[in-house]
Amino acid sequence: SHTMSEYVRMTDTERDQIDQDAQVFMRTCADAIHQLRTEAHKGVQSAQVKEHRTAVLDFIEDYLKRVCKLYSEQRAIRLKRVIDKKRL
């Protein structure tokens, strides 16, 4: 209970800023993955190296998609709570 009394709630402005920063970060990551994918095979002769790089980039892209999905679900919960509060 002592730690709960020290807990300070975030303001809506802080939450909005985190949402905005998260969206920019996710977009930046997606762009970086796309750029890496286009550059991954330049100058590479080995099919094994190409296949490995493709697999790694696929894994990273899939991970980012799962993070984005989780973020979207969390944001939807937050928006639903805001709407419910406004109804009351």
Side-chain angles (χ1 to χ4, degrees):
S1 66
H2 177 67
T3 57
M4 291 302 284
S5 65
E6 295 176 6
Y7 176 75
V8 178
R9 289 183 169 253
M10 290 175 54
T11 65
D12 287 336
T13 305
E14 291 171 326
R15 286 186 183 99
D16 291 340
Q17 184 63 47
I18 288 172
D19 283 345
Q20 184 179 4
D21 292 346
Q23 289 175 354
V24 168
F25 183 74
M26 288 184 288
R27 204 172 312 116
T28 302
C29 288
D31 291 344
I33 292 169
H34 178 71
Q35 183 179 0
L36 280 171
R37 195 175 291 280
T38 58
E39 294 178 14
H41 304 303
K42 290 182 180 177
V44 176
Q45 301 298 323
S46 169
Q48 186 177 11
V49 170
K50 287 180 182 180
E51 187 177 330
H52 173 73
R53 288 181 180 178
T54 299
V56 169
L57 288 167
D58 287 347
F59 175 77
I60 293 170
E61 188 173 45
D62 181 61
Y63 185 79
L64 178 62
K65 285 179 183 179
R66 287 183 282 143
V67 168
C68 291
K69 182 180 180 214
L70 180 63
Y71 165 76
S72 295
E73 291 169 356
Q74 297 270 327
R75 188 162 184 239
I77 291 168
R78 176 178 166 233
L79 293 175
K80 184 180 181 306
R81 287 180 182 163
V82 169
I83 291 170
D84 289 345
K85 282 182 184 179
K86 286 183 180 181
R87 286 184 187 167
L88 295 176

